[in-house]
Amino acid sequence: MQGVPGQFDHSADRAQFRHPPHHAGVELYRAHIVRHAFELHCHDGFGLGAIESGVERFRYRGAEHLAPPDSLVMMHAGELHTGSAETAGGWRYRMIYIDPALAAQVTGEPDWWFDQAVRADQAGTREVTALLDALWQADEPIAFDSLLAVLLDRFRTHARVPRPAPAQAAIRFAPVIDYLHAHLAERLSLDQLAAVAGLSPFHFLRQFRAQHDATPQQMLMALRLSRAKRLLDAGEPPAQVAAATGLSDQAHLTRAFARRYGVTPARYQRQVGARLRP
């Protein structure tokens, strides 16, 4: 795309985002990744998708996972994860990221929970791939919403309802995550976060890593880039987004965003049709 720097080091790597104009809580994504390794990041919605070819390796909820061809991938909103190719030719896949509240509105069931991140399901995966492709091409809101309902029906067979009660550690660190969200643009210290949790700094660090499989700094960066994504989608200029999310400058935002989402901020805004604000 003219005027937009390349987002990957390898020419075979491709990634595209698309937003339906009538739903703020839905993001479609398709990609073929050969060399790029996605750093720890998160999405605001459920990540539901299908592996078309190749094998993906990713870390999620404290474990390493392999997603082979004809498998479904199911991740919860806000969960940190990575992503890289396990096979020489990379992996090709499609995803939808959907706000849990919208998913509950469509299905009539709140609090979906997936106890497996990867499910082998050849027939189901190919049907999901076709539905995601149809969603990408759907122009009319009624067509999109009808396809969305069918897609969520396909994933319903793999969901548990209601969601299990959170572990005590998750409850204890919830105020810390809230604090990070409220102070993304600030320089934070371990002492500040430990005080929120009511623990000594390094005891807090050990317990936080055990719960989230990430350091507080990695969580902070993931939340900063997730917030940056929302601001870019709303049309905020990248330089302002960098300042609003605690990144040093636009170049820092560009590097960090591309490492986590596979596209530069400028390319992302073009793909989703964001209108830049002055």
Side-chain angles (χ1 to χ4, degrees):
M1 190 175 294
Q2 187 175 6
V4 179
Q7 72 273 37
F8 292 121
D9 293 330
H10 193 271
S11 60
D13 290 344
R14 295 284 186 274
Q16 288 180 285
F17 287 90
R18 180 178 181 270
H19 286 181
H22 67 296
H23 278 314
V26 177
E27 185 169 75
L28 297 171
Y29 177 76
R30 60 188 184 187
H32 178 209
I33 306 298
V34 179
R35 297 283 183 82
H36 188 76
F38 293 93
E39 294 189 6
L40 276 172
H41 64 285
C42 60
H43 300 276
D44 293 334
F46 287 122
L48 308 175
I51 307 295
E52 298 177 52
S53 63
V55 179
E56 178 193 13
R57 174 182 288 276
F58 63 97
R59 188 160 187 82
Y60 171 76
R61 296 182 61 82
E64 291 287 330
H65 300 271
L66 293 177
D70 293 327
S71 64
L72 298 174
V73 175
M74 294 154 289
M75 299 184 186
H76 295 111
E79 291 283 355
L80 297 181
H81 59 281
T82 61
S84 60
E86 182 70 6
T87 44
W91 85 103
R92 190 183 304 274
Y93 65 118
R94 294 176 183 269
M95 301 289 295
I96 185 171
Y97 301 104
I98 180 168
D99 184 90
L102 178 57
Q105 182 181 343
V106 174
T107 63
E109 292 182 320
D111 297 325
W112 274 20
W113 178 259
F114 298 99
D115 56 6
Q116 293 188 37
V118 180
R119 290 267 192 165
D121 183 353
Q122 183 180 78
T125 298
R126 294 182 182 182
E127 185 176 5
V128 165
T129 297
L131 285 166
L132 288 171
D133 183 56
L135 280 166
W136 190 281
Q137 299 178 56
D139 291 327
E140 291 188 279
I142 189 173
F144 188 97
D145 289 347
S146 298
L147 289 164
L148 181 61
V150 175
L151 178 73
L152 291 177
D153 280 346
R154 299 301 176 266
F155 281 101
R156 175 62 182 88
T157 59
H158 303 297
R160 293 172 58 192
V161 180
R163 178 173 181 161
Q168 191 61 38
I171 296 173
R172 180 166 201 169
F173 289 123
V176 177
I177 302 301
D178 291 341
Y179 188 88
L180 290 174
H181 276 292
H183 299 83
L184 291 180
E186 301 175 19
R187 292 173 61 88
L188 300 176
S189 69
L190 189 62
D191 288 352
Q192 285 174 272
L193 301 183
V196 173
L199 299 171
S200 65
F202 287 102
H203 182 53
F204 161 74
L205 178 60
R206 292 192 300 272
Q207 294 298 311
F208 189 93
R209 289 181 66 191
Q211 172 62 28
H212 292 287
D213 195 37
T215 66
Q217 171 63 16
Q218 288 173 317
M219 177 66 78
L220 175 61
M221 284 300 295
L223 296 178
R224 281 173 168 170
L225 271 297
S226 181
R227 174 63 174 160
K229 200 155 169 273
R230 294 194 296 274
L231 293 175
L232 290 166
D233 183 41
E236 294 290 338
Q240 293 182 24
V241 172
T245 53
L247 302 176
S248 57
D249 53 27
Q250 186 173 338
H252 186 192
L253 170 66
T254 297
R255 292 192 302 272
F257 195 89
R259 287 198 294 264
R260 288 161 179 82
Y261 298 114
V263 295
T264 63
R267 186 180 292 268
Y268 176 75
Q269 287 188 311
R270 288 173 182 260
Q271 288 180 351
V272 302
R275 295 185 177 181
L276 287 178
R277 297 178 180 176

